[in-house]
mmCIF file of all heavy atoms in Angstrom:
data_model
loop_
_atom_site.group_PDB
_atom_site.id
_atom_site.type_symbol
_atom_site.label_atom_id
_atom_site.label_comp_id
_atom_site.label_asym_id
_atom_site.label_seq_id
_atom_site.Cartn_x
_atom_site.Cartn_y
_atom_site.Cartn_z
ATOM 1 N N SER H 203 69.410 82.949 -113.598
ATOM 2 C CA SER H 203 69.191 82.652 -112.188
ATOM 3 C C SER H 203 68.429 83.836 -111.585
ATOM 4 O O SER H 203 68.282 84.880 -112.225
ATOM 5 C CB SER H 203 70.528 82.488 -111.472
ATOM 6 O OG SER H 203 71.215 83.724 -111.495
ATOM 7 N N GLU H 204 68.008 83.683 -110.360
ATOM 8 C CA GLU H 204 67.323 84.792 -109.701
ATOM 9 C C GLU H 204 68.226 86.032 -109.680
ATOM 10 O O GLU H 204 67.792 87.143 -109.975
ATOM 11 C CB GLU H 204 66.985 84.376 -108.272
ATOM 12 C CG GLU H 204 65.691 84.955 -107.761
ATOM 13 C CD GLU H 204 65.492 84.565 -106.303
ATOM 14 O OE1 GLU H 204 65.380 83.345 -106.028
ATOM 15 O OE2 GLU H 204 65.475 85.479 -105.459
ATOM 16 N N ALA H 205 69.501 85.783 -109.356
ATOM 17 C CA ALA H 205 70.460 86.897 -109.282
ATOM 18 C C ALA H 205 70.617 87.565 -110.646
ATOM 19 O O ALA H 205 70.579 88.795 -110.762
ATOM 20 C CB ALA H 205 71.804 86.391 -108.777
ATOM 21 N N ALA H 206 70.788 86.738 -111.688
ATOM 22 C CA ALA H 206 70.998 87.291 -113.033
ATOM 23 C C ALA H 206 69.762 88.050 -113.497
ATOM 24 O O ALA H 206 69.865 89.108 -114.135
ATOM 25 C CB ALA H 206 71.340 86.171 -114.017
ATOM 26 N N GLY H 207 68.586 87.508 -113.168
ATOM 27 C CA GLY H 207 67.338 88.180 -113.530
ATOM 28 C C GLY H 207 67.228 89.544 -112.856
ATOM 29 O O GLY H 207 66.886 90.543 -113.501
ATOM 30 N N HIS H 208 67.586 89.583 -111.610
ATOM 31 C CA HIS H 208 67.558 90.829 -110.857
ATOM 32 C C HIS H 208 68.497 91.862 -111.491
ATOM 33 O O HIS H 208 68.127 93.028 -111.696
ATOM 34 C CB HIS H 208 67.970 90.551 -109.408
ATOM 35 C CG HIS H 208 67.785 91.721 -108.500
ATOM 36 N ND1 HIS H 208 66.663 91.880 -107.718
ATOM 37 C CD2 HIS H 208 68.566 92.792 -108.273
ATOM 38 C CE1 HIS H 208 66.769 93.003 -107.032
ATOM 39 N NE2 HIS H 208 67.915 93.580 -107.355
ATOM 40 N N CYS H 209 69.693 91.425 -111.832
ATOM 41 C CA CYS H 209 70.684 92.337 -112.433
ATOM 42 C C CYS H 209 70.237 92.813 -113.809
ATOM 43 O O CYS H 209 70.537 93.936 -114.209
ATOM 44 C CB CYS H 209 72.036 91.661 -112.532
ATOM 45 S SG CYS H 209 72.783 91.386 -110.926
ATOM 46 N N ALA H 210 69.524 91.943 -114.544
ATOM 47 C CA ALA H 210 69.039 92.337 -115.865
ATOM 48 C C ALA H 210 67.992 93.445 -115.710
ATOM 49 O O ALA H 210 68.021 94.457 -116.418
ATOM 50 C CB ALA H 210 68.446 91.132 -116.595
ATOM 51 N N ARG H 211 67.079 93.254 -114.762
ATOM 52 C CA ARG H 211 66.036 94.265 -114.547
ATOM 53 C C ARG H 211 66.623 95.586 -114.059
ATOM 54 O O ARG H 211 66.134 96.660 -114.393
ATOM 55 C CB ARG H 211 64.981 93.745 -113.561
ATOM 56 C CG ARG H 211 64.080 92.676 -114.178
ATOM 57 C CD ARG H 211 62.911 92.311 -113.265
ATOM 58 N NE ARG H 211 63.341 91.684 -112.019
ATOM 59 C CZ ARG H 211 63.680 90.397 -111.902
ATOM 60 N NH1 ARG H 211 63.651 89.592 -112.962
ATOM 61 N NH2 ARG H 211 64.067 89.895 -110.747
ATOM 62 N N ALA H 212 67.733 95.498 -113.326
ATOM 63 C CA ALA H 212 68.360 96.710 -112.798
ATOM 64 C C ALA H 212 69.276 97.382 -113.818
ATOM 65 O O ALA H 212 69.877 98.419 -113.534
ATOM 66 C CB ALA H 212 69.136 96.370 -111.532
ATOM 67 N N GLY H 213 69.425 96.771 -115.004
ATOM 68 C CA GLY H 213 70.287 97.373 -116.023
ATOM 69 C C GLY H 213 71.771 97.183 -115.763
ATOM 70 O O GLY H 213 72.613 97.846 -116.356
ATOM 71 N N LEU H 214 72.084 96.247 -114.868
ATOM 72 C CA LEU H 214 73.500 96.000 -114.551
ATOM 73 C C LEU H 214 74.135 95.015 -115.526
ATOM 74 O O LEU H 214 75.276 95.167 -115.928
ATOM 75 C CB LEU H 214 73.610 95.439 -113.124
ATOM 76 C CG LEU H 214 73.355 96.422 -111.985
ATOM 77 C CD1 LEU H 214 73.056 95.676 -110.680
ATOM 78 C CD2 LEU H 214 74.564 97.332 -111.813
ATOM 79 N N LEU H 215 73.348 94.007 -115.869
ATOM 80 C CA LEU H 215 73.841 92.955 -116.766
ATOM 81 C C LEU H 215 72.778 92.676 -117.825
ATOM 82 O O LEU H 215 71.595 92.908 -117.604
ATOM 83 C CB LEU H 215 74.125 91.674 -115.970
ATOM 84 C CG LEU H 215 75.355 91.692 -115.058
ATOM 85 C CD1 LEU H 215 75.380 90.462 -114.156
ATOM 86 C CD2 LEU H 215 76.649 91.788 -115.867
ATOM 87 N N PRO H 216 73.187 92.150 -118.989
ATOM 88 C CA PRO H 216 72.221 91.854 -120.054
ATOM 89 C C PRO H 216 71.216 90.780 -119.639
ATOM 90 O O PRO H 216 71.499 89.966 -118.760
ATOM 91 C CB PRO H 216 73.097 91.328 -121.188
ATOM 92 C CG PRO H 216 74.474 91.794 -120.879
ATOM 93 C CD PRO H 216 74.565 91.893 -119.394
ATOM 94 N N ASP H 217 70.100 90.777 -120.307
ATOM 95 C CA ASP H 217 69.083 89.753 -120.096
ATOM 96 C C ASP H 217 69.456 88.529 -120.930
ATOM 97 O O ASP H 217 69.415 88.572 -122.161
ATOM 98 C CB ASP H 217 67.716 90.310 -120.536
ATOM 99 C CG ASP H 217 66.586 89.379 -120.135
ATOM 100 O OD1 ASP H 217 66.864 88.187 -119.829
ATOM 101 O OD2 ASP H 217 65.431 89.843 -120.124
ATOM 102 N N ARG H 218 69.814 87.450 -120.271
ATOM 103 C CA ARG H 218 70.256 86.241 -120.966
ATOM 104 C C ARG H 218 69.181 85.690 -121.898
ATOM 105 O O ARG H 218 69.492 85.127 -122.949
ATOM 106 C CB ARG H 218 70.607 85.143 -119.967
ATOM 107 C CG ARG H 218 71.824 85.448 -119.158
ATOM 108 C CD ARG H 218 72.194 84.340 -118.199
ATOM 109 N NE ARG H 218 73.587 84.539 -117.831
ATOM 110 C CZ ARG H 218 74.597 83.920 -118.417
ATOM 111 N NH1 ARG H 218 74.387 83.010 -119.344
ATOM 112 N NH2 ARG H 218 75.840 84.188 -118.069
ATOM 113 N N THR H 219 67.916 85.850 -121.474
ATOM 114 C CA THR H 219 66.842 85.231 -122.243
ATOM 115 C C THR H 219 66.641 85.923 -123.595
ATOM 116 O O THR H 219 66.011 85.372 -124.481
ATOM 117 C CB THR H 219 65.521 85.260 -121.452
ATOM 118 O OG1 THR H 219 65.222 86.629 -121.124
ATOM 119 C CG2 THR H 219 65.630 84.477 -120.151
#
Side-chain angles (χ1 to χ4, degrees):
Chain H
S203 65
E204 214 184 297
H208 188 96
C209 291
R211 287 188 295 280
L214 288 162
L215 288 170
D217 189 343
R218 292 182 161 264
T219 57

